[in-house]
Amino acid sequence: MVKRGRKVTIVEESENLGAKILDAHRPKLLAWLTRKGAVMLAGVKYDEITKQGLVIRKNGRRQLIEADTVLTALPPKPNQEFLEELKNKAVEVYQIGDSKEPGLIVDAVGGGSRIGRAV
Ligand SMILES: Cc1cc2nc3c(=O)[nH]c(=O)nc-3n(C[C@H](O)[C@H](O)[C@H](O)COP(=O)(O)OP(=O)(O)OC[C@H]3O[C@@H](n4cnc5c(N)ncnc54)[C@H](O)[C@@H]3O)c2cc1C
């Protein structure tokens, strides 16, 4: 979005922006974003998305970040309700891959392989 000339604000709940980005890339990326004028706020709580933008809370203070567009990149989480629905529809139901715990391709393939050999 920065490359497309948008005015960008990046917000993050943890105190550590880009914590899971590879060490080889993280400092360069953060420095590049700073150079390009992106605003980066860590340690915020998300209150709500309104027509005006995103309302956050930082250090207990409520604040509106005006925005035309809000892009979410929240951590994925399994849908347990869907699993419960499926349990009533088949004799055996196994939960693997991201539906069990979001991870990497190797975890999903490993889980599929283990269950496939077990049944
Ligand atoms: C942006 C992003 C980047 C990633 N990059 C990497 C990476 O570089 N390396 C890496 O190892 N991992 C990466 N991952 C993680 C990796 O994609 C997942 O761990 C992996 O795809 C999980 O496989 P899965 O089979 O469990 O689920 P998925 O690959 O999500 O497959 C689930 C399938 O079920 C289908 N489905 C869902 N609901 C229904 C339904 N009701 N009926 C029928 N079909 C349905 C979906 O359409 C989908 O095709 C990335 C994930 C994301 C989101």
Side-chain angles (χ1 to χ4, degrees):
M1 300 313 287
V2 169
K3 280 186 176 171
R4 288 181 188 183
R6 300 289 187 94
K7 192 177 158 210
V8 172
T9 301
I10 299 169
V11 289
E12 161 68 42
E13 277 192 324
S14 81
E15 292 294 342
N16 201 1
L17 266 166
K20 289 191 178 164
I21 299 174
L22 288 177
D23 287 345
H25 301 308
R26 187 171 175 272
K28 277 190 253 172
L29 179 62
L30 296 185
W32 183 84
L33 286 165
T34 305
R35 267 200 319 280
K36 294 288 176 183
V39 177
M40 290 175 274
L41 302 172
V44 308
K45 292 265 173 268
Y46 315 124
D47 265 8
E48 58 177 327
I49 295 172
T50 68
K51 286 199 165 114
Q52 284 73 42
L54 174 70
V55 181
I56 60 159
R57 214 170 268 278
K58 185 155 171 69
N59 302 324
R61 203 170 62 86
R62 216 170 124 90
Q63 178 186 337
L64 168 71
I65 299 172
E66 286 187 43
D68 300 321
T69 310
V70 179
L71 296 177
T72 61
L74 298 169
K77 58 178 188 188
N79 180 350
Q80 299 297 344
E81 282 170 30
F82 187 46
L83 174 73
E84 292 309 315
E85 272 178 46
L86 291 178
K87 276 185 182 166
N88 301 322
K89 293 193 167 62
V91 182
E92 293 180 62
V93 175
Y94 299 96
Q95 197 180 13
I96 58 163
D98 278 15
S99 82
K100 186 174 183 194
E101 186 182 358
L104 295 173
I105 294 167
V106 68
D107 304 314
V109 172
S113 168
R114 266 191 304 283
I115 297 299
R117 281 180 281 118
V119 292

